[in-house]
Amino acid sequence: MRKKVLPLLLALALAVLSACGGGSRDGGQAAAPEPVITIAVSGDPTTLDPHKSFNGFVFTVTNQIYETLLFRAADGSLQPRLATEWTPVDETTWEFKLREGVKFSDGTPFNAEAVKFSLERLADPETKGPGAFIVGMIEEITAVDEHTVRIRTRTPFAPLLAHLSHPVTAIVSPTAATSGDLSKNPVGTGPFLLEDWKAGDSITLKANPDYWGGKPRLERVVLRVIPEAGTQLTELKAGTVDLITGVQPERFAEIDSDPQLSATKFLGWGSMFLGFNMKAGPLAQPEVRQAIAMAIDRQGIVETLRQGMAQFGNALVPPTVFGSVPDLAGPAYDPEGAKALLAQAGVATPLTLTLNTYEGAETQQIAQAIQAQLSQIGIDLQVVVTDYGAFAEAIAQDDHGLWLSSWGTVTMDADYTLWALLHSQQHGADNKAFYANPQVDAWLAEARRTTDDAERQALYRQVQEQVMADLPYLNLYYPLSSYAKNDRLQGEVYPFSAINLDLRRAEVK
């Protein structure tokens, strides 16, 4: 009997191991890791309709579900996504060949009519999309045939291709957009689908089995809302989170030295700047703005406070962006000269000014540093820190003072930033400085019209040199983009910022 019992017990043991997934740490066959990752995000999206928001928390999710005609590769080049080819027809018209055999996740065919529908929906005032200006120059969209679309602008518009890579121009299912609610039930052509959304807690995405580029290797991606950066890091080290973004400067080396983790930093598309309301009050005086610029030790902020997680520069856009001027001269740190300038201008001190900014470790740290440095030249800076909504309302008022904010040139073309922040038509929109210079307006308009890159670059140099003379803004630095991950996650592509995270070929090992 014994010879029969042992084989039976062995067979039962093997069956139990097989049912449990099999394998062991000491030589047995290891179970394949579950293809699920968790990403920490600091805020919850307000909608999953890409046309009705202009917010990074939203685009971080929608970029996994929807796709644009073109996209920016990690090297900054424009690459095909839903469009496979594009050629100019004349100085105001581009023709796009569309990818064939693609369907939205609800089964609706992707075609020229879907492109026309989506871009017109974004531009439609009824949509109330804050990003409508991205396509505001488009005069007409024509579906030539099933897989060919032509886009005509009112006047020549050189940055059009760059604008069509912006996540707000995502192509949506016409069926779902007209008969459903994309804000809660998103339908795109992307690699992932919405599985679950627990507001304020998490969003769970699942792999799109019918994705035209092949089903992703990750079965699920969970985006957990964890507002505190310290808590995000704790969970990353504990293994309950696989990826965090915006690594704290003082913790970067600690993460990078952990054998289970990797930390990456690089220059992205962002800028951190100080804005001046030129409309009224003391800041309308050029000498006051110049003195403030001279009193701020921007290089010291980069080296000491940001600890290598930022790059100094005077231009409003970083060197990664077309139209940047990396060698642009700016005001040198000279607090004694700043005091003398205020005295020469007859400005009485102490001078009380207000600076608005929004909640966040970085903005609050920089605001406090500016406050301390301006006190050295007789300026009493009252710092007001609020949530982003209240901050946006405050700097929309005519009588606001200074403000501290970041900006991302998402299209990687300087027009996106310089037109928004500097053109006089943008008063009441993003030009919170109320800056108005007819020559700058003319240069910006000419840079949109010409398709010669050298001419555009020369015009953007003129614009930014004039800005340094007028000082509606003072660029402080370019924050480095950063993220940290558990090394079990492999194959992710992270260009520029979190909203561009590409998980199409990512996997768990």
Side-chain angles (χ1 to χ4, degrees):
M1 284 295 294
R2 207 165 179 179
K3 289 182 180 178
K4 293 180 180 179
V5 170
L6 285 175
L8 179 59
L9 290 174
L10 180 60
L12 288 171
L14 287 172
V16 170
L17 279 173
S18 177
C20 294
S24 67
R25 293 188 177 184
D26 53 358
Q29 181 181 359
E34 188 179 12
V36 177
I37 64 165
T38 299
I39 299 172
V41 293
S42 56
D44 207 25
T46 54
T47 177
L48 295 182
D49 185 335
H51 298 162
K52 295 189 176 183
S53 180
F54 211 64
N55 178 277
F57 294 135
V58 172
F59 294 147
T60 295
V61 181
T62 60
N63 264 5
Q64 305 297 334
I65 298 171
Y66 303 93
E67 295 177 306
T68 50
L69 294 178
L70 300 82
F71 77 99
R72 287 282 185 185
D75 64 1
S77 63
L78 285 167
Q79 296 293 325
R81 186 72 86 197
L82 289 176
T84 56
E85 301 174 32
W86 47 91
T87 53
V89 176
D90 55 44
E91 64 178 6
T92 61
T93 307
W94 281 85
E95 182 172 279
F96 297 83
K97 295 293 184 182
L98 306 180
R99 195 174 296 279
E100 299 185 21
V102 177
K103 289 187 177 183
F104 293 95
S105 57
D106 64 353
T108 301
F110 164 73
N111 53 27
E113 288 295 341
V115 173
K116 177 179 169 67
F117 172 87
S118 295
L119 298 182
E120 288 180 346
R121 178 178 186 262
L122 172 59
D124 188 346
E126 289 295 315
T127 302
K128 298 179 181 178
F133 74 94
I134 289 290
V135 293
M137 75 299 300
I138 295 177
E139 178 74 20
E140 183 180 32
I141 303 171
T142 305
V144 178
D145 59 36
E146 188 78 357
H147 297 106
T148 307
V149 67
R150 285 189 176 183
I151 298 177
R152 180 167 61 84
T153 56
R154 292 184 181 86
T155 59
F157 188 77
L160 178 65
L161 297 180
H163 278 226
L164 293 176
S165 71
H166 195 291
V168 79
T169 66
I171 309 303
V172 305
S173 164
T175 304
T178 53
S179 63
D181 182 1
L182 294 181
S183 68
K184 298 177 181 177
N185 300 293
V187 179
T189 61
F192 292 94
L193 313 173
L194 177 66
E195 182 174 76
D196 184 48
W197 184 3
K198 295 181 175 69
D201 179 74
S202 64
I203 286 181
T204 301
L205 306 177
K206 63 180 179 180
N208 180 354
D210 301 315
Y211 181 53
W212 60 264
K215 182 184 175 183
R217 296 167 184 170
L218 296 174
E219 287 291 342
R220 283 179 178 77
V221 176
V222 181
L223 296 105
R224 276 183 55 206
V225 179
I226 305 175
E228 277 291 323
T231 306
Q232 290 186 11
L233 178 55
T234 298
E235 296 226 22
L236 178 70
K237 298 182 81 168
T240 50
V241 160
D242 296 293
L243 187 146
I244 65 173
T245 64
V247 179
Q248 297 164 290
E250 65 274 15
R251 308 297 294 272
F252 189 89
E254 172 192 344
I255 296 171
D256 208 31
S257 63
D258 189 312
Q260 303 297 319
L261 306 176
S262 295
T264 303
K265 59 182 177 180
F266 53 90
L267 186 61
W269 59 33
S271 307
M272 180 70 74
F273 66 82
L274 184 67
F276 304 90
N277 181 354
M278 300 173 66
K279 193 169 189 175
L283 295 173
Q285 288 183 256
E287 295 87 355
V288 173
R289 300 195 301 274
Q290 186 69 29
I292 289 172
M294 293 165 63
I296 299 173
D297 184 6
R298 294 180 289 156
Q299 192 71 58
I301 288 173
V302 168
E303 295 174 357
T304 305
L305 297 185
R306 301 313 299 159
Q307 299 180 36
M309 294 293 286
Q311 180 174 314
F312 176 78
N314 288 306
L316 278 173
V317 293
T320 50
V321 171
F322 174 81
S324 181
V325 184
D327 62 349
L328 185 68
Y333 176 53
D334 182 4
E336 292 303 315
K339 284 193 281 190
L341 187 59
L342 289 177
Q344 291 167 14
V347 177
T349 56
L351 172 64
T352 301
L353 297 172
T354 299
L355 180 146
N356 283 285
T357 193
Y358 46 89
E359 294 170 338
E362 182 174 359
T363 50
Q364 292 182 65
Q365 179 192 54
I366 303 308
Q368 290 167 4
I370 292 173
Q371 181 183 50
Q373 291 175 358
L374 293 191
S375 70
Q376 301 302 306
I377 66 167
I379 293 179
D380 178 15
L381 190 65
Q382 305 296 308
V383 175
V384 179
V385 181
T386 60
D387 62 72
Y388 192 86
F391 163 76
E393 288 181 12
I395 66 173
Q397 306 304 310
D398 286 358
D399 60 350
H400 78 93
L402 298 99
W403 78 101
L404 175 67
S405 185
S406 61
W407 181 276
T409 307
V410 180
T411 64
M412 303 297 286
D413 188 295
D415 171 82
Y416 178 82
T417 294
L418 302 183
W419 187 279
L421 297 185
L422 304 174
H423 201 283
S424 61
Q425 290 180 356
Q426 298 303 303
H427 291 183
D430 290 306
N431 185 350
K432 307 299 186 186
F434 299 103
Y435 180 60
N437 185 317
Q439 181 61 77
V440 168
D441 283 356
W443 284 332
L444 288 171
E446 180 60 27
R448 283 187 158 190
R449 286 191 297 267
T450 181
T451 56
D452 185 293
D453 282 351
E455 289 183 23
R456 295 188 72 217
Q457 183 68 52
L459 287 162
Y460 288 139
R461 173 176 282 277
Q462 289 176 291
V463 167
Q464 291 175 87
E465 287 175 346
Q466 189 63 51
V467 166
M468 290 312 307
D470 296 339
L471 272 182
Y473 305 91
L474 176 69
N475 193 69
L476 300 176
Y477 58 82
Y478 311 121
L480 297 191
S481 291
S482 62
Y483 75 101
K485 66 166 186 172
N486 188 310
D487 284 337
R488 78 189 196 100
L489 172 62
Q490 297 290 315
E492 81 286 352
V493 179
Y494 191 110
F496 313 118
S497 81
I499 69 173
N500 300 108
L501 177 62
D502 189 341
L503 298 170
R504 286 169 175 79
R505 296 290 175 265
E507 60 185 323
V508 172
K509 291 190 174 180

